């Protein structure tokens, strides 16, 4: 496998770790900056919201930039933002640095996917973006628990870890990424948003947003939900997050195969219903390590199978516009994650730290109902078989 492709994946690994590892260090952030856990959770919200809102205009504004310059600029911005996060003396400044980090990620990830296809032979171009996005998958499995473990005593060490990962990718690509083809004409911002005028596309995007609102409203505050099992022991929390990450990878793999065999509708409805049941059971499961580990197995399997189905669903509406439609799915996913941070915090305030997952169960059922009302029974064709859950 080309070294340059691995370096591109290292960049997405850093960004995946950055976007999700904060969920594992909310307690230390809360204690250090003297804010509530709910307020600390808004660090995830502003990153996700920044990515969702900045990705389309930044892509349009930089469409004519040389790809190498764009990748290096994005990594430099991302790394600098995380260094500033590590140094931030106040909560407000920390929030601002998360927006800067999101801007770097929004610039980098779509560009890295596009560049990856130019680095390999034509017969391998379908696999190249999967390798780059694989950095996100590995971040879920390894980067998040590693970031949680590193930041167990000082959350700023997690930010320094992400900074080091970004700088390593920056140095490697600066040295080895040469002679890239000039960028082709990119769709305008208006063209990127035009598909939202189609009812089927809007319904699919709404389902993505609703499901990830439910999913992230628990994931961001998972440390709170399982505190009865962990006793706030960071090693136990790291084990739960590692289990979540490994089963997320398995869920992505399983989702693609289930979509091919049973169709998008069944995967969406079955996965959403299973996730809703697990959210409803979490107040009891989260009291013990076996119950918490069971939850960390079931929900990521269901959730990431649904994530694959959501991307397949949008791409299959118009295979010729699949990249554009999947980018809309990414924006809806990040908007859902941003809304999940706010909704989870509100649920904790109303229902308490043990029972707040019940709200996520209701939102997951809403996503299930939205899918049932807006989707046709369809199977993913060969044209979208390579589509993956777009995190960037």
């Amino acid at each position: 496998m080309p070294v340059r492709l691995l370096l591109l994946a290292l960049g997405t690994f850093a960004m995946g770790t950055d976007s999700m590892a904060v969920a594992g260090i909310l307690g230390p952030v809360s204690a250090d900056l003297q804010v509530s856990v709910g307020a600390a959770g808004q660090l995830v919200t502003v990153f996700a919201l920044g990515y969702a809102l900045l990705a389309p205009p930044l892509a349009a504004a930089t469409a004519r930039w040389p790809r190498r310059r764009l990748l290096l600029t994005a990594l430099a911005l991302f790394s600098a933002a995380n260094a500033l996060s590590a140094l931030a003396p106040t909560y407000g400044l920390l929030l601002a640095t998360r927006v800067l980090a999101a801007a770097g990620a929004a610039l980098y990830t779509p560009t890295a996917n596009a560049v990856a296809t130019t680095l390999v032979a034509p017969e391998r171009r379908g696999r190249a973006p999967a390798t780059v996005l694989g950095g996100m998958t590995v971040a879920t499995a390894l980067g998040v628990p590693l970031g949680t473990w590193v930041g167990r005593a000082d959350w700023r060490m997690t930010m320094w870890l992400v900074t080091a990962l970004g700088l390593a990718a920056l140095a490697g690509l600066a040295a080895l990424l040469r002679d890239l083809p000039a960028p082709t004409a990119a769709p305008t911002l208006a063209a990127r948003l035009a598909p939202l005028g189609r009812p089927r596309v809007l319904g699919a995007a709404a389902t993505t947003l609703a499901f990830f609102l439910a999913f992230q409203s628990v994931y961001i505050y998972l440390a709170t939900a399982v505190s009865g099992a962990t006793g706030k022991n960071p090693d136990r929390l790291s084990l739960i997050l590692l289990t979540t990450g490994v089963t997320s990878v398995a869920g992505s793999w399983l989702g693609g195969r289930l979509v091919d065999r049973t169709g998008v509708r069944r995967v969406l409805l079955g996965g959403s219903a299973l996730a809703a049941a697990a959210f409803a059971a979490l107040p009891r499961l989260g009291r013990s390590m076996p119950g918490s580990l069971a939850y960390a197995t079931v929900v990521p399997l269901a959730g990431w199978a649904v994530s694959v189905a959501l991307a397949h669903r949008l791409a299959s509406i118009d295979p010729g516009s699949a990249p554009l439609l999947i980018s809309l799915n990414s924006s809806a996913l990040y908007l859902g994650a941003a809304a999940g941070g706010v909704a989870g915090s509100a649920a904790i305030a109303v229902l308490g730290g043990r029972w707040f997952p019940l709200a996520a169960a209701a939102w997951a059922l809403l996503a299930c109902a939205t899918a049932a009302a807006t989707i046709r029974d369809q199977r993913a064709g060969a044209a979208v078989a390579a589509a993956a859950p777009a995190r960037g």
Side-chain angles (χ1 to χ4, degrees), residues 361-391:
W363 294 320
L365 290 176
L366 175 62
C368 187
T370 304
T374 61
I375 193 173
R376 301 173 184 174
D377 194 4
Q378 54 185 318
R379 294 174 185 263
V384 295
R391 282 193 141 229

Side-chain angles (χ1 to χ4, degrees), residues 221-268:
Y221 303 102
L222 187 58
T224 299
V226 299
S227 60
T230 63
K232 299 186 178 180
N233 183 313
D235 293 331
R236 289 188 174 190
L237 178 59
S238 294
L239 176 60
I240 292 171
L241 291 174
L242 177 61
T243 303
T244 298
V246 171
T247 51
S248 295
V249 176
S252 295
W253 177 87
L254 179 65
R257 281 148 186 80
L258 287 176
V259 165
D260 287 338
R261 291 185 180 183
T262 68
V264 168
R265 182 184 177 87
R266 289 184 179 179
V267 175
L268 284 181

Side-chain angles (χ1 to χ4, degrees), residues 79-106:
S79 300
N82 275 280
L84 291 172
S85 293
L87 297 170
T90 66
Y91 174 70
L93 287 175
L94 183 57
L95 282 176
T97 65
R98 305 318 296 145
V99 176
L100 287 177

Side-chain angles (χ1 to χ4, degrees), residues 67-113:
R67 301 296 91 178
R68 180 176 183 273
R69 184 209 302 172
L70 182 52
L71 285 171
L72 298 184
T73 300
L75 282 169
L77 175 60
F78 174 80
S79 300
N82 275 280
L84 291 172
S85 293
L87 297 170
T90 66
Y91 174 70
L93 287 175
L94 183 57
L95 282 176
T97 65
R98 305 318 296 145
V99 176
L100 287 177
L107 278 172
Y108 178 85
T109 307
T111 307
N113 286 327

